[in-house]
Amino acid sequence: MSIVLTPFARARLFPDAPRRNTIQNCTAEAFERRLNEEAPLEVLEGYAPFCRLHVHRNWTSTRCMAVPITDDNRHLLHSAYEARSTDELPVLVRWFEGVDPPVARYLLPILYSAGQLEKEGSPIDADWGVVGCLYTMEPAETPMAPITMMRNAVGVDEGGSGVPLDRAAYQQSVAFWQEHANWRG
């Protein structure tokens, strides 16, 4: 089984201008090599048959991506309409600024099959392509953000995957993300 970083993931996880909330102390090439050489601790099924997550112990200094919202940090929340690429419509997102999350214990690369990536107009020369990565304290998936679920449901033409909305998964996501937010460094 071969794994590559998609251009989408490479730009988000290893940006040209380094940010504190991306993968730290590791190059894109070293990350890709490690995913191909080291067996994951566990493989989790993703939200659709073409998606899976590999659980790896964090070998970097990358910090957890989700931070609990408390009365002490609520004033540090920000929001704006943003698109992840020029092809997508902007959506409302929120994040913390000025927080210092703990170093994650696990990295969970999110993989899409080559067939799905071709369907989305992003063909790869491998079996699986990394489309993102979760940085967590537990070897478990952080719920996909509600807006990401909505984007996926609207289809490939709008930057999604074409997977219909799962109401129960959406409600779980809302419950988690009402109490947590990502952060930016």
Side-chain angles (χ1 to χ4, degrees), residues 117-178:
L117 289 167
E118 183 155 343
K119 177 181 171 184
E120 293 184 17
S122 302
I124 57 171
D125 188 24
D127 301 313
W128 295 89
V130 176
V131 297
C133 189
L134 304 177
Y135 327 135
T136 66
M137 292 303 277
E138 301 300 324
E141 181 178 5
T142 303
M144 187 184 300
I147 195 60
T148 304
M149 294 175 137
M150 291 270 194
R151 178 184 281 124
N152 282 340
V154 299
V156 174
D157 291 341
E158 299 300 336
S161 62
V163 173
L165 191 65
D166 175 321
R167 187 175 182 83
Y170 185 85
Q171 295 290 17
Q172 279 185 308
S173 171
V174 168
F176 179 85
W177 289 106
Q178 277 186 311

Side-chain angles (χ1 to χ4, degrees), residues 47-111:
Y47 73 103
F50 58 78
C51 178
R52 62 172 60 161
L53 294 87
H54 283 192
V55 178
H56 290 271
R57 288 205 186 280
N58 184 6
W59 66 90
T60 72
S61 62
T62 305
R63 296 180 175 277
C64 286
M65 60 183 280
V67 176
I69 299 169
T70 67
D71 288 339
D72 292 335
N73 65 18
R74 189 176 313 277
H75 69 284
L76 300 172
L77 279 171
H78 296 265
S79 63
Y81 283 91
E82 296 180 344
R84 300 177 303 178
S85 72
T86 55
D87 296 332
E88 291 184 355
L89 294 171
V91 297
L92 185 62
V93 295
R94 71 178 180 172
W95 67 93
F96 280 113
E97 287 185 11
V99 298
D100 197 25
V103 172
R105 290 189 185 126
Y106 299 93
L107 299 179
L108 284 74
I110 304 165
L111 310 177

